[in-house]
Every structure is written in C-alpha cells, then in structure tokens.
Amino acid sequence: MNNQIGPNWRTIVRFGLIGGVVALYLSVIGMVEAFSARNLIGTFITLAQILIFGGPFVAGYLTAREFKDKPRTTIILCGLAAGAMASIFQVMLILIAHAVDLRFMFVSISPGLMEILTFGQGQYLGSLILAALSAVMGAIGAGYFLLPGTISRTLTSAVVVTLGVGLFSENVNQILSSNWLSLIGGRSVARLLIQQKSLNPIVALVLFLAVGGLTYWRATRAKAQVESDDESPATGRQKRFRTVMLIIAIGALLGLPWIVGRFLSQVLFMVGLYIMMGLGLNIVVGYAGLLDLGYVAFFAFGAYTMGVITSASPLGLTNLNFWIALPICAIVGVLTGFVLGVPVLRMRGDYLAIVTLGFGEIIRILALSDWLAPFIGGAQGILHIPYPSIAGFQFKTPEWMYYLVIIGSLLAGFLTIRLRESRLGRQWMAMREDEDVAEAMGINLVQTKLLAFAIGAAFSALAGGIFAARLGTIFPHTFNLLWSINALSLIIVGGMGSIPGVMVGALILVGLPELLREFQEYRLLMYGILLVVMMLVKPEGFVPAARRQQELRAHAKESAVGTAAD
Amino acid sequence: MAMLELNDVHAYYGNIHALKGISIDVSEGEIVTLIGANGAGKTTTLKTISGLLRPRQGEVSFEGEELTEFPAHEIVYKGIAMVPEGRGIFSKLTVVENLEMGAYSRSDKDGISSDLDRVFTLFPRLQERRRQVAGTLSGGEQQMLATARALMARPRLLLMDEPSMGLAPVLVESVFETIQEIKDEGTTILLVEQNAHMALQVADRGYVLQTGEIVLKDSAQGLRDNAEVQKAYLGMQ
C-alpha cells in the first residue's frame, strides 16, 4: 500500500479501475444481461443495475475510506471521480462494440447488453448517462462512508431487506399463495405486494421505511439501554422469552414445508442434506484438520448402498426397508472411511487433499465402469429405489422428506456437539494443532485419524442414503466433484469448526443458488468471489466458532505489533 | 544403573545421517544437558528418545526397558514427557485444555486436579490466564505452558528442548529457576540448550554434541572450566 505518501489521485484511479474491471467483467461474461430480467422493484430497478452500479459504489466507498482524514467535500468529490473512473471500461466497451463486432469472441456482448448499458439511448448519449450515473453512485458510496454508524446501519438493513424481498418476490408470491396462507387472504396480499414478478414500488417504499424505522428504533433503544444499564430484573422474563422463542422456532421448523410449498421444500431438503454432509466434513476438516476433497465418495457409497439393498429393480440384492437400510448406509460409511483412512495415515495437508481428491474421482469412475455394471448398473445407474414409508404411508413429496432430513441434521448436530466436548474431540483438536506434540502427549494418531474419517464418512453416507431414497434413482454422474467443493465451501463460508456456521453456510451456498435460477450458470464464479471476499474480509466465517474468532483477532493484533519478536 | 541410556544410537532424516553413534546416560535425580550448535543433533536426540524418530541402529533404554520398540504415544506412559522446541503448544486450545492434554496419558482424576494446582503454584501467570486461548499468550507464557503441560503427565524424566529460545533475558533466568525447582521436586531432566552458559549453571553433567557426535562429556563444572567449551559455547576468550 502507499501509506508512506498518504492517499492521492493514484488511490482514486486504483479503486476506480478495480471497480471498473469488475463491472466490465460482469458485463462481458453475460451476467448483466442474464440478470436484467430479474426485476427487483417495479420494472425500473433490476438486478443488472445493481451489478452495473455496484462497482462504482464500492469504488467510491473504498476511496472515501482511504481519504477519511480529508474534508467532507473532498471525500465526496473523490468518490465522484472514482465512480466516473469505474465506468470507463464500460464506456469503452460500448463505443468499441458499436464500431466492431466483438461477438465472435465474446458471445455475451449482445445488442441486448448494449441496450441495457446505454439505457436505450444510443452509444454516445448512453455512455454519457452511464458515466454520469456511475459518478453519482461513486459519490453516494463516498457519502455512505461518511454517514454516522447508526444511520448507515439503518440504511443498509432497509436497502438489503427491500432489495431482498424484491429479489425473491417470486418465492414470496409462492409462499403467500400456498394452500395454508391463502386461507387467510395470502393470495390477495400477494397481488398487492407483487406486480409483474417484482415488488410493487409503493410497497417497496413502505417496506424500506418500516425496516429502516425499526432498525433505527432498535439501535437507539439499545444505546439507551447500555447507558441506563438497569436490566437486572429481566432475567426471569428473559428465560421465559427464550422458551417461547424456542417453541416458536420448533413450530416454524415443523410447519415450514406446508407454508413454503413444494419447490421451497425441495430447496430446504437440499439445504438439510448439505447440513448433514457439512457437519460430517466439519469433523474431518474443522476438528481433525484433515483436508478431505473427496468427501463425495462417502456420499456416493451411502447412496449406492441404499440403492443396492432396497431397490425393486433387478440390481437390488435385497428389498430391505428404508429404515433398516439407513443404519447399514452409516455402517458402510464407517467402513469406507477406514478404508480411505489407512493409506493416507502418513499424509498431511496438501498431499492429503490431493489423494482424497483422487479417491473421490476413483469412486465415481468405478461406479461408472462396465466392470461393476452388473452390480450397480454402470452409467444406467440404479432405478426403482422405494420411498421411505411408515405403516403404509410413503414419504413421497419433498415436504415429507424435509422432516427426514431435519431429523437427520438435528441428530448430526447433536452428535457433533457431544463429540466436540468428548475426549475424542480433544484428541482431534490436539492432532490438528501439532501431530508430533499430540503424539508426544500420548495420543494414538492412527486411531484418532481413522475415527475422524470414519465418523465424518458416516454422516455423509447417511445423507447419501436419504438422497437416494428421495430421488428413487441414482447415476454415477450425480456424484461429481462439485458436492465435495460445495460441502467444503459451506464450512469455510460459515465458519470452520462452527455448527451454526455449517447451517448458515448451507443456506447461503446451497439455498440461495436454488432460489436464484439465473445464478445457476454463474454458481462457481459466485463461490469463488464469495470465498475470496470472505478470506479477505471475514476469514473466520459468518458464524465463527468462538475460539477461532478470539484466536484470529489476537493474531491480527500480534502481527500488527510486529514480527520482530519471532 | 542409569535411568536413561542411549547406546551407539544412529538416526537418519531420509539419507542424512543426523546422529552418528551417540551414547548418553542420565541417572535418576540429575539434570543432564546437551549443548551444541545448530544442527548438531540435539533435538534429534530428544526425538529419538520420545519415539518421534526411530533410530536405525543402537538402543535406547529407560529404567531397563528398551524404548525403540514402542510408538511415541506409548512412551509417555513409561514416564517420559517432552517440552517441545519452539514451545509447541496447542495454540487454539485454552490454557486449561492444554494442561488437560498434558495429562492425557493419565486417568486418575484426583491426581490430575492436584497436579493442576501444583503447576498453577509453579506458574501463577497460567492460572490468571487459564481460560485464554493459548495462541494469545506471550512467548514467555507459552514456554511456561509447554513446561507445565509436560509436568501434567507427571513424568519421571522430563525432556526439555531449548526452553530459553526466543525469550527475553529476564525470562530466561526465570526459566532456569523453574528447571531447578522441577528438579528439586524429584524429576530427572534432560535439557537441550543453545544457551550453554545458563544450562551449565543448572545442570549436574553435560555432553557436547557436534555434527551428530558426542565430542565431550564431563561434569557441568568440568565443562565450564574447559577451554574449548569456553571458547566455542560460552563466548569467552
């Protein structure tokens, strides 16, 4: 950084160009056009606009942060300049694309994109408008930095909630029109709120004011409470409040699939499945520190076990009941965990990651192979896996499978907590910190490692078994590397070693992309961006384990003090 | 008979011949020090004793029992604990959890809690910080923790690897005071040090290691008076 000479025009150019490159990139890969159909509020605020103007806004904000000691007008002007800088690449893109046909190389630079970037005003006037609006966004970004904390927080939550509701207006519509809520007039509420798959502008304004007002009120009240500091008689009430909240939470958890409808239930089912996998992987990676990139293998083992022992097709060896088959899946998971564990016992860190990565691929290719086709169907997969059923009632729909996966995740969460507090949990953490020292303390590394792999694998195999029963058919192609990457990413994003973190991570990385269908194509890109940003801004994850947070903070403080001591 | 005996021990890192036939003995109640320059094989010797490195040739026996057949995690149960080099604490566990890990090899709950009190009287600083994550301790405190953790195993022989490394001079002094106290409580100590000056003050006997070989062995007094040692390790002319 150039902190020797303090901020200057270079800073503006730098942040401006960073914002510009990001905005240009989003346009060129086609995201802007793909998202322009997603109206947020009315028909005039679309997701595409957020992408176009997000860059200038962030550039303005970052510039303002660098110039924080300067007078206010200077800061605003710098933000303005940075915002204008940020539009420069897009303006160039507009002008060049008008003169030359770039589509032979960049398929996404379509007339449609130009229409969006120029606001339908032709290349010259459109460029001017774009540059001007970007400059204004930069200035707003800078101004945003200058706002006092309470107000900027209020604005942030109001904007985020309003745009969020707008973004998911289709899903909100679905929920409100579901069987249960339409009984109490949900459908007419939906008609009021949502017009043309987008939030009604007036409703948006009301929502914005309501959320903003509420946040502001809470912020000021919290401040007042800290000042007065007389909440001692509240403890009894707090306890009762907590019980009530717990009951409400359980009620909501149970009622959720019937309120949100079939599609969202399916999404929640996937989230739950990933929570189970994430909790298992969290044991291997988060607690024991063994980086496993082939975690999908155990999931596949679980799914195939379920298939082979329950399927009604000729491949089914037995026609066991789902409920008997599920523990067998877990046992198979434990065994495969041991089998993978043994050869990698001596490996650490990167080597382990590569070997497990290979293991995951080997399993997938074996499942696909002709050699095993007589047993597990090869590329044709296994068909006719029955739904779980109790006393003749079949768990056919996602709504019912949701309960199964919720029970599974709760069980996995409970086991994880118990394990973390156990002697074995300590062994894992000691081993993660320093294998040699752990061994010198008397910890049997072989046993400890194998148990981590086996227990982690059991969680994954359970999830796999449920997955197979939900789909009814399984194919080798399903079990690709992406599962492992998703599971690992959600742990990192949520917070390594943190159980609530796994849940939040699964909601963000698995739930959101399902809801935003336009994102599907850009899913991996989004993961990449999210992971990089997380590592830079919040390396401990969204909901960090308390201990890790303490450690990372102290580390930051120490490294600020200097490396001279080392 | 000596408590610990190394007899013609050869150890390798891959193809590198790190220990070239070392013979050391430590008797009960002694402090014995190994001094020598970087890369002389001091840490390697300790690793060989604690089982982290397997000698290719030679014997290591503790109280008459051959150690080389046992894996590292079982050697703790024989009564040997190690204070690893570079403090080697579990930086993400709390102070108390670190100490509990030190007592991993034991199952007598009452004994563990009384030993916890004992190390807290030895290191009051650790008691103040018992709930703190160990990675946030200062260098001196981390060294205390590493030592305290090794004591939690209630060892008969304590292996200490460079306890004074990277510490301020004031702290170095207190480290050696602690070593003396531990000895007075009846624990035998094998001390590896670069700070030969301090090590020879606290030790009863010493060995000088040079590129994997023992070049000199004598009482601490004898080594202090040795002209070679004075020149090479004590910085005297």
Side-chain angles (χ1 to χ4, degrees):
Chain A
M1 297 288 165
N2 52 356
N3 45 5
Q4 303 98 327
I5 45 171
N8 53 21
W9 60 271
R10 277 168 189 272
T11 321
I12 301 173
V13 172
R14 190 167 45 137
F15 286 123
L17 291 185
I18 291 172
V21 167
V22 171
L24 176 74
Y25 181 66
L26 294 177
S27 297
V28 171
I29 62 171
M31 258 173 121
V32 167
E33 195 181 1
F35 292 176
S36 64
R38 182 65 95 148
N39 293 331
L40 298 182
I41 296 168
T43 48
F44 47 90
I45 296 188
T46 68
L47 196 53
Q49 280 158 351
I50 302 219
L51 292 184
I52 298 173
F53 294 118
F57 180 84
V58 173
Y61 182 85
L62 291 175
T63 311
R65 206 172 58 176
E66 291 289 305
F67 284 84
K68 57 176 177 279
D69 305 324
K70 297 275 162 29
R72 277 162 179 260
T73 40
T74 319
I75 297 179
I76 299 278
L77 283 176
C78 291
L80 196 78
M85 277 304 295
S87 70
I88 206 162
F89 287 118
Q90 281 177 317
V91 169
M92 275 159 61
L93 177 71
I94 293 171
L95 296 178
I96 293 173
H98 182 72
V100 209
D101 184 17
L102 292 174
R103 290 196 76 184
F104 68 96
M105 233 166 115
F106 300 104
V107 283
S108 298
I109 302 179
S110 62
L113 175 69
M114 288 305 126
E115 186 81 359
I116 296 162
L117 287 181
T118 56
F119 307 93
Q121 302 294 325
Q123 70 273 28
Y124 300 116
L125 185 59
S127 303
L128 270 179
I129 296 176
L130 181 66
L133 284 178
S134 295
V136 171
M137 282 314 285
I140 292 176
Y144 183 76
F145 176 78
L146 290 175
L147 288 176
T150 331
I151 296 184
S152 71
R153 232 167 296 142
T154 305
L155 269 179
T156 311
S157 50
V159 168
V160 166
V161 169
T162 313
L163 291 183
V165 173
L167 191 58
F168 298 114
S169 52
E170 227 171 309
N171 306 108
V172 173
N173 192 6
Q174 257 171 18
I175 293 173
L176 287 174
S177 325
S178 70
N179 293 334
W180 294 82
L181 285 181
S182 49
L183 286 182
I184 51 169
R187 213 163 287 203
S188 36
V189 176
R191 224 168 291 140
L192 182 75
L193 284 178
I194 289 144
Q195 291 172 343
Q196 298 159 341
K197 295 186 174 182
S198 164
L199 203 58
N200 184 334
I202 302 164
V203 175
L205 188 68
V206 172
L207 192 64
F208 180 86
L209 291 177
V211 173
L214 195 69
T215 322
Y216 188 74
W217 177 69
R218 279 191 51 182
T220 44
R221 205 185 58 151
K223 213 185 265 175
Q225 219 164 42
V226 169
E227 276 158 14
S228 64
D229 198 17
D230 55 358
E231 43 180 351
S232 38
T235 45
R237 245 180 60 199
Q238 261 176 354
K239 210 174 268 173
R240 217 173 315 142
F241 178 70
R242 209 170 291 166
T243 324
V244 170
M245 285 307 281
L246 193 70
I247 291 170
I248 291 176
I250 293 173
L253 214 56
L254 291 179
L256 211 52
W258 308 106
I259 296 171
V260 300
R262 181 151 298 178
F263 171 68
L264 284 178
S265 294
Q266 171 62 21
V267 173
L268 286 174
F269 170 77
M270 287 311 289
V271 170
L273 214 55
Y274 266 108
I275 290 177
M276 287 179 73
M277 285 182 82
L279 286 171
L281 189 60
N282 186 40
I283 288 178
V284 184
V285 181
Y287 293 165
L290 305 164
L291 186 52
D292 184 350
L293 294 183
Y295 197 57
V296 64
F298 306 121
F299 185 74
F301 264 107
Y304 269 98
T305 305
M306 180 59 79
V308 167
I309 61 182
T310 68
S311 168
S313 75
L315 289 171
L317 292 179
T318 59
N319 282 319
L320 283 179
N321 183 316
F322 171 83
W323 306 102
I324 301 169
L326 204 54
I328 297 178
C329 291
I331 293 167
V332 169
V334 167
L335 292 180
T336 47
F338 274 121
V339 169
L340 170 67
V342 171
V344 299
L345 275 173
R346 295 260 152 239
M347 291 172 190
R348 297 177 188 186
D350 343 9
Y351 302 101
L352 179 66
I354 294 294
V355 171
T356 51
L357 182 71
F359 180 72
E361 282 301 283
I362 289 171
I363 296 305
R364 186 178 62 82
I365 290 166
L366 276 182
L368 192 59
S369 67
D370 290 339
W371 178 53
L372 286 175
F375 309 103
I376 57 172
Q380 266 81 49
I382 301 180
L383 313 176
H384 306 301
I385 301 167
Y387 293 114
S389 61
I390 297 178
F393 177 79
Q394 286 194 322
F395 284 50
K396 254 186 198 163
T397 60
E399 287 95 324
W400 287 103
M401 286 307 279
Y402 161 86
Y403 287 114
L404 196 58
V405 93
I406 284 291
I407 293 169
S409 328
L410 287 179
L411 188 71
F414 175 74
L415 279 175
T416 311
I417 293 172
R418 298 294 300 171
L419 282 169
R420 187 184 60 193
E421 304 303 332
S422 71
R423 192 173 162 85
L424 183 58
R426 288 285 172 75
Q427 279 169 249
W428 283 333
M429 289 180 218
M431 180 175 76
R432 177 191 67 197
E433 299 295 299
D434 191 326
E435 288 195 3
D436 280 349
V437 178
E439 203 173 8
M441 297 288 116
I443 292 173
N444 185 339
L445 288 186
V446 171
Q447 201 184 38
T448 312
K449 268 191 191 180
L450 286 181
L451 277 173
F453 274 121
I455 294 173
F459 282 27
S460 186
L462 270 180
I466 295 176
F467 179 73
R470 162 81 189 95
L471 290 190
T473 49
I474 44 175
F475 305 103
H477 288 296
T478 314
F479 305 100
N480 54 20
L481 180 63
L482 204 58
W483 287 85
S484 305
I485 295 177
N486 284 351
L488 189 63
S489 312
L490 74 90
I491 303 180
I492 296 171
V493 168
M496 194 77 91
S498 144
I499 295 168
V502 170
M503 299 178 184
V504 172
L507 275 173
I508 293 175
L509 289 189
V510 182
L512 281 188
E514 296 290 337
L515 295 187
L516 302 168
R517 267 164 289 104
E518 294 92 332
F519 275 80
Q520 291 294 6
E521 203 178 329
Y522 303 100
R523 189 176 184 146
L524 286 177
L525 178 74
M526 288 306 203
Y527 275 24
I529 293 174
L530 189 61
L531 285 177
V532 171
V533 170
M534 283 299 289
M535 286 305 105
L536 290 174
V537 180
K538 215 166 162 26
E540 69 269 33
F542 276 119
V543 193
R547 170 189 309 264
R548 187 165 156 73
Q549 196 176 16
Q550 190 185 353
E551 194 240 345
L552 273 170
R553 274 198 205 138
H555 189 74
K557 224 187 288 170
E558 228 167 70
S559 57
V561 170
T563 43
D566 289 316
Chain B
M1 193 192 65
M3 187 184 210
L4 174 79
E5 260 188 83
L6 274 70
N7 191 10
D8 188 32
V9 169
H10 291 260
Y12 292 76
Y13 289 113
N15 285 327
I16 299 162
H17 200 169
L19 295 183
K20 302 167 185 164
I22 279 190
S23 300
I24 290 173
D25 58 276
V26 181
S27 300
E28 189 148 8
E30 278 190 307
I31 299 183
V32 173
T33 183
L34 300 181
I35 57 179
N38 261 342
K42 302 175 306 236
T43 300
T44 313
T45 310
L46 291 195
K47 278 192 171 171
T48 315
I49 298 168
S50 60
L52 292 173
L53 193 68
R54 217 137 281 278
R56 227 178 256 185
Q57 195 190 320
E59 294 112 45
V60 180
S61 67
F62 181 68
E63 297 180 326
E65 194 175 9
E66 182 60 35
L67 285 187
T68 45
E69 295 154 22
F70 294 101
H73 61 90
E74 283 178 25
I75 285 176
V76 199
Y77 292 85
K78 312 278 175 206
I80 299 179
M82 183 156 88
V83 183
E85 184 183 25
R87 297 163 205 141
I89 51 158
F90 301 123
S91 58
K92 284 171 196 165
L93 304 189
T94 64
V95 168
V96 170
E97 285 169 344
N98 261 279
L99 294 174
E100 283 168 358
M101 284 315 302
Y104 178 83
S105 56
R106 299 166 57 184
S107 50
D108 54 324
K109 282 208 166 139
D110 297 338
I112 292 174
S113 75
S114 81
D115 276 2
L116 203 57
D117 293 337
R118 188 170 73 110
V119 298
F120 280 147
T121 36
L122 199 56
F123 302 106
R125 293 282 286 178
L126 294 182
Q127 182 152 31
E128 288 166 29
R129 295 168 183 267
R130 51 188 296 156
R131 300 266 162 240
Q132 200 168 320
V133 171
T136 64
L137 298 176
S138 74
E141 288 161 352
Q142 291 189 4
Q143 183 58 52
M144 290 176 198
L145 180 57
T147 311
R149 187 185 56 192
L151 290 179
M152 287 302 292
R154 200 180 273 178
R156 288 192 297 287
L157 173 66
L158 184 64
L159 309 175
M160 300 187 83
D161 198 352
E162 304 258 13
S164 76
M165 190 169 75
L167 295 184
V170 193
L171 290 175
V172 171
E173 203 132 326
S174 83
V175 164
F176 283 97
E177 275 163 24
T178 314
I179 292 172
Q180 188 67 50
E181 273 174 62
I182 294 168
K183 180 205 168 179
D184 292 344
E185 284 181 12
T187 309
T188 311
I189 296 172
L190 178 59
L191 171 68
V192 156
E193 255 304 336
Q194 278 198 28
N195 187 340
H197 192 71
M198 294 299 280
L200 289 176
Q201 273 181 13
V202 75
D204 299 299
R205 294 187 299 116
Y207 292 83
V208 178
L209 269 165
Q210 216 169 64
T211 55
E213 282 169 300
I214 298 210
V215 291
L216 207 59
K217 64 176 260 195
D218 204 343
S219 68
Q221 186 60 46
L223 288 175
R224 276 204 302 269
D225 295 340
N226 184 305
E228 282 292 306
V229 174
Q230 282 182 356
K231 199 171 149 212
Y233 302 105
L234 299 177
M236 294 185 225
Q237 290 304 314

